[in-house]
Amino acid sequence: MLFLIGMVIVFGSVLFGFVMSHGQLLALWQPFEVLIIVGAALGSFLLSNPWSVVKRCARQLPSVIFGAHHHKTRQMELLSLIYDILGKSRREGLMAIEAEVDNPQASAIFARYASVQKNPELANFVADYFRIIVVGNLSAYELEGLMDQEIDTRLNELEQPGVALGKVADALPGFGIVAAVLGIVITMGAIGGDVAEIGAHVAAALVGTFSGVLLSYGLVGPVSANLKHLAEDEIKLYDAAKAAIIASLHGIAPQLAVEFGRKALYSHSRPTFNELESRLRGR
């Protein structure tokens, strides 16, 4: 919703201001200029990024347009999952959770939390470190260092779509200039013709520069920034999982360990203490 409101404000204010200044909207309709700019931008995007980044951009755009939903649900389910695993390991011993973490997609515990299981990277992150705890002999500090390394790598991976679109946004004004130069070339070819025709060609060329700058700063740049926010929100789930697991390795009880995880989440979206406690008691 915020995306759509922002689009209306950006383009509406620009176009309304142009019309109120006695401009003609049809003068801005230059489809071939837009084809040059958008086509060149799309081509450069494909040239500069691997297919994996292109696919992740396509998958994340709906979240930018329609908004990412159920932040709190995912957070609650993640912390509840960790609580269940810690509780089972305390009641039945560490070996009791081995079957659950060996294959999280087939695990009965993981199956209770659909939003986590539908995120294979996050589910595998949780499962991998419980698997290391079961079969390994790492201290809490060694495990925390390993987790930090993986979280840094995952953050870099999550930020790649936003960075890629940011580079396209930086290039769009340049492509606008390319379209404008081509328009001037056409104008020079008509230099001996009617003055009105020459003016129309010059206007079309200037629209190319205008379109490149507007698309850069009014659309693609903000979408790039939004993708970076989505990456930061996602990585906070990993931080929460790390905090809860490390707290449990220091001997803290499961119910308090997940509180460490809750505190790692952003305050604007994390569940309250009472919400999490009610969820865990309900489980």
Side-chain angles (χ1 to χ4, degrees):
M1 182 60 71
L2 285 178
F3 175 85
L4 298 176
I5 293 173
M7 285 277 290
V8 169
I9 292 174
V10 169
F11 287 91
S13 59
V14 170
L15 297 178
F16 183 72
F18 177 70
V19 170
M20 294 305 292
S21 301
H22 309 291
Q24 299 294 322
L25 280 179
L26 284 178
L28 300 179
W29 175 242
Q30 304 294 337
F32 295 113
E33 297 277 329
V34 174
L35 175 63
I36 292 169
I37 297 166
V38 174
L42 177 60
S44 70
F45 174 73
L46 295 176
L47 280 170
S48 58
N49 295 290
W51 183 238
S52 60
V53 174
V54 174
K55 288 193 296 184
R56 288 206 301 274
C57 276
R59 284 200 302 266
Q60 291 181 20
L61 282 178
S63 295
V64 173
I65 296 171
F66 301 108
H69 300 294
H70 311 305
H71 283 305
K72 190 173 290 189
T73 299
R74 285 202 303 169
Q75 294 166 356
M76 294 273 277
E77 291 202 351
L78 174 65
L79 295 175
S80 298
L81 167 65
I82 293 172
Y83 175 79
D84 280 359
I85 295 174
L86 292 176
K88 184 170 184 176
S89 69
R90 281 211 165 194
R91 292 191 308 270
E92 304 173 25
L94 273 177
M95 298 308 296
I97 65 171
E98 185 175 15
E100 304 289 349
V101 299
D102 274 344
N103 185 5
Q105 298 307 315
S107 164
I109 292 181
F110 279 82
R112 299 173 191 162
Y113 306 105
S115 65
V116 177
Q117 201 171 41
K118 288 177 182 176
N119 188 334
E121 292 83 6
L122 180 60
N124 288 331
F125 178 85
V126 174
D128 285 348
Y129 286 100
F130 276 113
R131 189 183 299 119
I132 291 172
I133 292 171
V134 171
V135 302
N137 192 27
L138 295 181
S139 69
Y141 300 105
E142 291 169 328
L143 194 67
E144 185 174 8
L146 183 59
M147 289 175 127
D148 285 338
Q149 183 177 344
E150 182 171 354
I151 289 172
D152 285 342
T153 301
R154 181 60 179 153
L155 177 59
N156 180 264
E157 186 178 40
L158 290 169
E159 287 181 335
Q160 285 177 344
V163 171
L165 278 185
K167 292 178 179 177
V168 173
D170 292 340
L172 275 168
F175 290 130
I177 293 172
V178 169
V181 170
L182 293 177
I184 294 299
V185 170
I186 295 172
T187 302
M188 297 306 292
I191 199 68
D194 183 67
V195 174
E197 182 184 356
I198 295 173
H201 286 312
V202 172
L206 292 175
V207 168
T209 303
F210 158 77
S211 299
V213 173
L214 181 61
L215 288 174
S216 172
Y217 296 106
L219 180 61
V220 180
V223 169
S224 169
N226 200 314
L227 286 173
K228 292 177 183 178
H229 288 306
L230 291 177
E232 292 168 359
D233 285 340
E234 179 80 11
I235 209 65
K236 273 297 164 185
L237 295 172
Y238 292 80
D239 287 335
K242 182 195 85 170
I245 293 171
I246 295 301
S248 72
L249 287 179
H250 285 296
I252 294 174
Q255 190 153 359
L256 191 54
V258 295
E259 178 63 15
F260 277 69
R262 188 186 73 85
K263 287 294 187 181
L265 298 168
Y266 284 131
S267 60
H268 65 83
S269 63
R270 71 186 176 202
T272 65
F273 178 87
N274 290 332
E275 286 174 330
L276 181 58
E277 186 178 32
S278 297
R279 174 68 181 259
L280 297 180
R281 285 181 176 178
R283 287 290 304 119

